[in-house]
Amino acid sequence: MSEITLTKDARSILNTDGPQALRDAVASVEILEAETITPPVETYAPAISESQWQEIEKRVQVTGGNYRENIFAGEIKKLLPMILTTGNVWRVFDGNRWELIAGPERFLPLAIELLAHFNHDTARRAGELVAHVGASCQTTQDWRGAYTFDGTGAVLLNLANGILRVTKQGAELVPHDWTQGFTLTIPTAWDAQADCPAFTETLSAAMPDADDRELFRLFAGSILEPSARLEAGLAVFGPSGTGKSTLIDSGIAEAVGGPAAGTVSRVSLRQLCDPKSYSLPSLEFSLVNIITEGDALAVEESGNFKSIISGEPIECREIYGKPKVIATTAKLLLATNSLPRFSNGTDAEGRRLRLLNFDQVPSKPDPGLKHRIHAEAAGILRWMVGALQEVLSLRDMPRGGASAKRVTDRFALSNDSLGCFIASECTLEPGGWTGREELLCTFNEFADSHGFSADNSVWFFRKLFDRFPHLQSKKRSGTRAIVGLTLKSDLRAG
């Protein structure tokens, strides 16, 4: 049970009627039975001052001191911060976000004290009063995390010191607004003069190619866009000591709040691709999911991976919770020692991923670098907001420079060797055909020339027919052939 505070009058009722009185009140609003009473969050059960009592007594006088549930429920609402409820879910506005609270039981001490002051039955009516407050605060409010679009297409970022309104032309800080329905806060304050020299210098040293740095910058900006329209995740890989975790964990993650703020999730690649994973709900309001396994182990199913990058709905549930459908706009950022692998990969993963290779190891490690970058959170956020302004005009996420292109081609071969072979060496045409053994031999030669080992013939033809179901195996000119496909070498020879 959530912690609650007992005032002097409430303790008196508890001592007189015993714990059962409080349990009866709790049960009336369908809350789990409480065995212990411990001190709570003070703001949710505030002490009533003498002057407040005087005002309450004046207002209650109109009833002659008689109990009227709506009057007493109204008095409770006046003493509490702004509350909205959706079903049995209660949220309180703390000045910049709507905080999810454990349950209405923490308001029972206030109801008990109010009723006791006027000598009314507390055990029976306290729960009824709290339930009345909850019913009167029901809303259809759309809840969101720490960002959203406004009606004009501007991005609204809920920051520590206000809401930052970002357009292609600039950024403006406005006061917090409860009507936006933000449930999370990016705990970094906006500072239009902040800079991040240690961060940008580290990025330049880690990525000599300017086009690669530009990809990294624009992807960082896209983390702040509440949309998946660009359908782009980023995988950075390379050996330890090349700056990946320094830039991502000490830099970007800290700038947008980290896991403690709820704005950064850390669901592993295996958990992400497992439809039964209980970790998926943490993605709902996350800005970015950071995957930092030492090696990106091969996963069997990439359906969720593709759906999340594309912003498509996925079904998930929390442990002991009911299934629900979420459509997250969290960006996927992988920082691993090797390229990610999907056992049944196709070109679909390659279309959605941008890849960058970190291979620059500094000659002399700087033990204080992470601390300095951590201290530049406001400057890194400003750097990301500048990139966001450009992202709002993008139609497609760039793919980096020459280095990025090399690793992208390498990923395509390792993740979808069959697709690369068909695109490079074959033409799909209804009237064409190629001998079965000739096709397999050509694939083996393709594998040798590109530095990967070819799988056995059973795998090759099973994958071929699964991927291209219109192909058929028939006899042609006395030999077993694959109909619907022609080798480009045969076309050139003809």
Side-chain angles (χ1 to χ4, degrees):
M1 176 173 171
S2 299
E3 297 179 349
I4 57 177
T5 296
L6 294 179
T7 61
K8 182 177 180 181
D9 286 340
R11 288 196 192 94
S12 175
I13 296 300
L14 184 59
N15 292 334
T16 301
D17 298 336
Q20 186 60 44
L22 182 59
R23 287 200 290 270
D24 289 345
V26 171
S28 70
V29 285
E30 297 181 346
I31 301 170
L32 294 176
E33 186 175 275
E35 295 297 336
T36 58
I37 306 300
T38 52
V41 180
E42 184 177 346
T43 54
Y44 296 153
I48 304 175
S49 66
E50 184 176 347
S51 61
Q52 286 176 315
W53 276 124
Q54 292 173 356
E55 292 299 317
I56 292 171
E57 287 169 352
K58 289 179 184 178
R59 291 191 291 269
V60 173
Q61 288 285 330
V62 299
T63 69
N66 296 322
Y67 175 72
R68 289 187 183 175
E69 186 174 289
N70 64 323
I71 298 293
F72 278 76
E75 294 303 326
I76 291 177
K77 287 177 68 175
K78 289 184 178 72
L79 294 167
L80 295 174
M82 187 181 297
I83 290 172
L84 288 178
T85 59
T86 307
N88 291 325
V89 177
W90 290 54
R91 291 185 185 273
V92 61
F93 189 65
D94 67 2
N96 63 15
R97 70 183 178 110
W98 286 96
E99 182 185 359
L100 183 68
I101 59 177
E105 68 266 27
R106 64 177 59 192
F107 302 128
L108 286 171
L110 184 61
I112 289 172
E113 183 175 16
L114 185 65
L115 290 164
H117 185 83
F118 292 96
N119 298 315
H120 290 303
D121 178 9
T122 60
R124 181 170 62 86
R125 288 174 171 161
E128 295 174 354
L129 273 183
V130 173
H132 188 116
V133 171
S136 67
C137 295
Q138 286 288 317
T139 182
T140 57
Q141 172 75 46
D142 288 330
W143 302 115
R144 45 186 59 96
Y147 62 0
T148 189
F149 285 111
D150 70 6
T152 68
V155 174
L156 303 181
L157 303 174
N158 197 36
L159 306 182
N161 58 340
I163 296 175
L164 189 68
R165 185 175 183 273
V166 184
T167 65
K168 299 174 186 178
Q169 291 75 36
E172 174 191 14
L173 191 67
V174 299
H176 288 117
D177 180 2
W178 68 268
T179 65
Q180 295 297 336
F182 291 123
T183 61
L184 298 176
T185 302
I186 296 174
T188 304
W190 175 249
D191 181 352
Q193 306 303 316
D195 202 0
C196 51
F199 178 85
T200 53
E201 288 169 11
T202 302
L203 179 61
S204 295
M207 287 187 196
D209 191 316
D211 290 334
D212 287 355
R213 293 197 301 273
E214 182 67 357
L215 167 57
F216 189 87
R217 186 180 74 89
L218 291 173
F219 179 82
S222 77
I223 291 172
L224 300 178
E225 184 181 25
S227 164
R229 65 183 181 84
L230 296 178
E231 298 189 53
L234 178 65
V236 301
F237 74 99
S240 301
T242 53
K244 301 187 305 296
S245 62
T246 300
L247 291 167
I248 292 171
D249 294 332
S250 301
I252 290 174
E254 287 300 322
V256 298
T263 49
V264 175
S265 53
R266 293 189 179 269
V267 181
S268 72
L269 190 58
R270 282 196 178 280
Q271 292 172 325
L272 195 76
C273 295
D274 179 3
K276 299 179 180 179
S277 172
Y278 295 125
S279 301
L280 294 175
S282 66
L283 297 170
E284 183 171 12
F285 292 135
S286 172
L287 275 68
V288 59
N289 185 73
I290 299 175
I291 300 169
T292 55
E293 291 109 325
D295 290 291
L297 300 176
V299 293
E300 294 294 328
E301 175 57 52
S302 63
N304 277 351
F305 178 85
K306 293 178 287 190
S307 294
I308 291 167
I309 290 181
S310 299
E312 298 168 355
I314 58 172
E315 185 175 284
C316 62
R317 75 179 180 92
E318 296 174 346
I319 190 168
Y320 308 125
K322 294 181 179 179
K324 64 178 180 178
V325 175
I326 64 172
T328 180
T329 54
K331 309 306 181 295
L332 298 187
L333 176 54
L334 290 76
T336 61
N337 291 347
S338 61
L339 285 169
R341 291 178 291 149
F342 300 92
S343 298
N344 297 303
T346 66
D347 60 338
E349 293 84 17
R351 288 198 308 270
R352 291 170 172 83
L353 267 183
R354 305 298 185 268
L355 296 110
L356 291 171
N357 186 15
F358 277 64
D359 58 3
Q360 304 295 309
V361 179
S363 57
K364 186 177 180 181
D366 183 349
L369 181 60
K370 290 187 177 183
H371 178 74
R372 294 201 306 276
I373 288 179
H374 185 281
E376 293 180 344
I380 296 169
L381 179 64
R382 179 173 170 244
W383 175 83
M384 293 174 69
V385 168
L388 170 63
Q389 291 178 243
E390 296 178 40
V391 166
L392 292 175
S393 297
L394 287 183
R395 293 187 176 182
D396 188 36
M397 184 66 68
R399 291 192 171 271
S403 173
K405 185 179 185 306
R406 286 193 296 272
V407 296
T408 299
D409 291 344
R410 193 168 123 207
F411 172 74
L413 278 169
S414 64
N415 187 66
D416 182 23
S417 56
L418 176 62
C420 290
F421 167 71
I422 295 296
S424 173
E425 305 298 324
C426 303
T427 299
L428 298 172
E429 53 183 4
W433 64 274
T434 298
R436 181 185 176 97
E437 292 304 318
E438 183 184 6
L439 182 64
L440 180 60
C441 181
T442 305
F443 176 71
N444 290 335
E445 291 173 355
F446 177 83
D448 289 341
S449 65
H450 288 85
F452 68 90
S453 59
D455 293 278
N456 60 50
S457 60
V458 174
W459 173 92
F460 174 76
F461 287 109
R462 178 172 58 82
K463 291 290 186 182
L464 182 68
F465 290 122
D466 285 347
R467 182 78 169 271
F468 306 100
H470 66 281
L471 298 180
Q472 295 179 305
S473 179
K474 294 183 177 180
K475 277 195 173 184
R476 284 290 188 270
S477 301
T479 185
R480 181 61 64 179
I482 305 300
V483 178
L485 174 152
T486 305
L487 287 173
K488 291 180 179 178
S489 58
D490 291 345
L491 292 173
R492 288 192 292 268

